[in-house]
Amino acid sequence: MVNIFEKLIGDKREWRAMEARAKALPEDYTFVYHKIQHYMWNHAAGSGMDMIAIFKDLLELFEEGHANNKHVLEITGDDVASFSDELLRNARTYTEDWHKKLNSDIADHFKNKS
Protein backbone atom coordinates (compact mmCIF):
# COMPACT_ATOMS: atom_id res chain seq x y z
CA MET A 1 0.00 0.00 0.00
CA VAL A 2 1.37 3.41 -0.98
CA ASN A 3 1.44 5.82 1.90
CA ILE A 4 0.08 9.32 1.45
CA PHE A 5 3.55 10.92 1.52
CA GLU A 6 4.78 8.76 -1.36
CA LYS A 7 1.59 9.52 -3.30
CA LEU A 8 1.99 13.28 -2.81
CA ILE A 9 5.65 13.21 -3.84
CA GLY A 10 4.82 11.17 -6.93
CA ASP A 11 1.96 13.50 -7.84
CA LYS A 12 4.19 16.53 -7.36
CA ARG A 13 6.83 15.05 -9.68
CA GLU A 14 4.17 14.23 -12.25
CA TRP A 15 2.78 17.77 -12.00
CA ARG A 16 6.22 19.32 -12.49
CA ALA A 17 6.88 17.09 -15.50
CA MET A 18 3.55 18.11 -17.02
CA GLU A 19 4.27 21.79 -16.44
CA ALA A 20 7.67 21.42 -18.11
CA ARG A 21 6.00 19.78 -21.11
CA ALA A 22 3.47 22.63 -21.29
CA LYS A 23 6.25 25.24 -21.20
CA ALA A 24 7.98 23.45 -24.09
CA LEU A 25 4.95 24.13 -26.31
CA PRO A 26 4.65 27.34 -28.35
CA GLU A 27 3.54 30.38 -26.34
CA ASP A 28 -0.06 30.34 -27.64
CA TYR A 29 -0.49 26.72 -26.54
CA THR A 30 1.08 27.39 -23.14
CA PHE A 31 -1.13 30.44 -22.63
CA VAL A 32 -4.34 28.57 -23.46
CA TYR A 33 -3.27 25.51 -21.44
CA HIS A 34 -2.72 27.60 -18.31
CA LYS A 35 -5.92 29.59 -18.82
CA ILE A 36 -7.88 26.33 -19.09
CA GLN A 37 -6.14 25.02 -15.96
CA HIS A 38 -7.09 28.14 -14.02
CA TYR A 39 -10.70 27.95 -15.22
CA MET A 40 -10.98 24.28 -14.38
CA TRP A 41 -9.37 24.53 -10.92
CA ASN A 42 -12.11 27.02 -10.02
CA HIS A 43 -14.62 24.21 -10.58
CA ALA A 44 -12.72 21.24 -9.15
CA ALA A 45 -13.97 19.50 -6.03
CA GLY A 46 -12.48 16.89 -3.77
CA SER A 47 -8.77 16.18 -3.97
CA GLY A 48 -8.55 17.36 -7.56
CA MET A 49 -6.76 14.18 -8.57
CA ASP A 50 -9.19 13.60 -11.43
CA MET A 51 -8.09 16.98 -12.79
CA ILE A 52 -4.52 15.74 -13.20
CA ALA A 53 -5.68 13.05 -15.62
CA ILE A 54 -7.70 15.61 -17.57
CA PHE A 55 -4.74 18.01 -17.77
CA LYS A 56 -2.50 15.15 -18.90
CA ASP A 57 -4.95 14.31 -21.71
CA LEU A 58 -5.23 17.98 -22.64
CA LEU A 59 -1.47 18.30 -22.76
CA GLU A 60 -1.20 15.26 -25.04
CA LEU A 61 -3.90 16.73 -27.29
CA PHE A 62 -2.01 20.03 -27.47
CA GLU A 63 1.31 18.30 -28.16
CA GLU A 64 -0.29 16.34 -30.99
CA GLY A 65 -1.92 19.48 -32.38
CA HIS A 66 1.39 21.32 -32.34
CA ALA A 67 3.14 18.37 -34.02
CA ASN A 68 0.49 18.57 -36.76
CA ASN A 69 1.07 22.33 -37.17
CA LYS A 70 -2.40 23.26 -35.92
CA HIS A 71 -3.16 26.52 -34.19
CA VAL A 72 -4.34 25.94 -30.63
CA LEU A 73 -7.80 27.34 -31.41
CA GLU A 74 -8.19 24.74 -34.15
CA ILE A 75 -8.19 22.23 -31.29
CA THR A 76 -10.30 24.08 -28.72
CA GLY A 77 -12.48 26.14 -31.04
CA ASP A 78 -13.16 29.82 -30.36
CA ASP A 79 -15.35 29.02 -27.33
CA VAL A 80 -12.60 27.77 -25.05
CA ALA A 81 -14.93 27.91 -22.03
CA SER A 82 -17.30 25.41 -23.65
CA PHE A 83 -14.35 23.23 -24.60
CA SER A 84 -13.23 23.35 -20.95
CA ASP A 85 -16.73 22.56 -19.72
CA GLU A 86 -16.71 19.43 -21.86
CA LEU A 87 -13.44 18.38 -20.23
CA LEU A 88 -15.00 19.00 -16.82
CA ARG A 89 -17.71 16.43 -17.52
CA ASN A 90 -15.14 13.82 -16.46
CA ALA A 91 -14.31 15.50 -13.15
CA ARG A 92 -16.03 16.00 -9.85
CA THR A 93 -16.95 19.67 -9.59
CA TYR A 94 -18.29 22.00 -6.95
CA THR A 95 -21.28 22.63 -9.18
CA GLU A 96 -22.10 18.94 -9.04
CA ASP A 97 -21.73 19.01 -5.25
CA TRP A 98 -23.94 22.09 -5.00
CA HIS A 99 -26.61 20.45 -7.17
CA LYS A 100 -26.61 17.36 -4.96
CA LYS A 101 -26.73 19.48 -1.79
CA LEU A 102 -29.64 21.57 -3.05
CA ASN A 103 -31.65 18.53 -4.08
CA SER A 104 -30.83 16.73 -0.83
CA ASP A 105 -31.83 19.73 1.29
CA ILE A 106 -35.14 20.06 -0.54
CA ALA A 107 -35.85 16.31 -0.31
CA ASP A 108 -34.98 16.28 3.41
CA HIS A 109 -37.23 19.26 4.05
CA PHE A 110 -40.27 17.61 2.53
CA LYS A 111 -39.45 14.17 3.93
CA ASN A 112 -39.38 15.65 7.44
CA LYS A 113 -42.81 17.27 6.89
CA SER A 114 -44.45 13.89 6.23
Side-chain angles (χ1 to χ4, degrees):
M1 183 165 146
V2 177
N3 73 36
I4 190 73
F5 180 72
E6 290 172 341
K7 181 151 179 48
L8 289 174
I9 295 299
D11 292 340
K12 192 171 190 177
R13 285 186 189 136
E14 181 179 10
W15 181 258
R16 285 184 181 155
M18 288 171 49
E19 287 298 296
R21 287 170 55 199
K23 287 179 184 176
L25 288 168
E27 189 274 331
D28 286 345
Y29 275 90
T30 303
F31 175 78
V32 173
Y33 179 78
H34 285 117
K35 286 301 221 178
I36 289 173
Q37 274 185 330
H38 180 75
Y39 176 83
M40 290 177 68
W41 278 125
N42 286 324
H43 294 87
S47 70
M49 292 308 299
D50 50 347
M51 299 298 282
I52 302 297
I54 293 170
F55 293 145
K56 186 184 287 187
D57 290 345
L58 176 62
L59 187 55
E60 290 171 5
L61 183 65
F62 279 10
E63 288 170 333
E64 183 180 322
H66 170 59
N68 291 322
N69 294 316
K70 290 185 175 183
H71 187 275
V72 66
L73 295 182
E74 288 181 73
I75 297 166
T76 63
D78 291 333
D79 189 348
V80 180
S82 290
F83 174 85
S84 300
D85 289 341
E86 281 298 315
L87 295 174
L88 280 169
R89 288 183 185 269
N90 299 319
R92 186 170 157 229
T93 65
Y94 284 118
T95 304
E96 178 183 306
D97 290 350
W98 294 330
H99 287 181
K100 287 179 184 175
K101 174 85 170 107
L102 174 62
N103 289 333
S104 176
D105 288 350
I106 299 284
D108 288 348
H109 172 79
F110 286 106
K111 185 167 84 175
N112 291 332
K113 285 194 159 211
S114 300

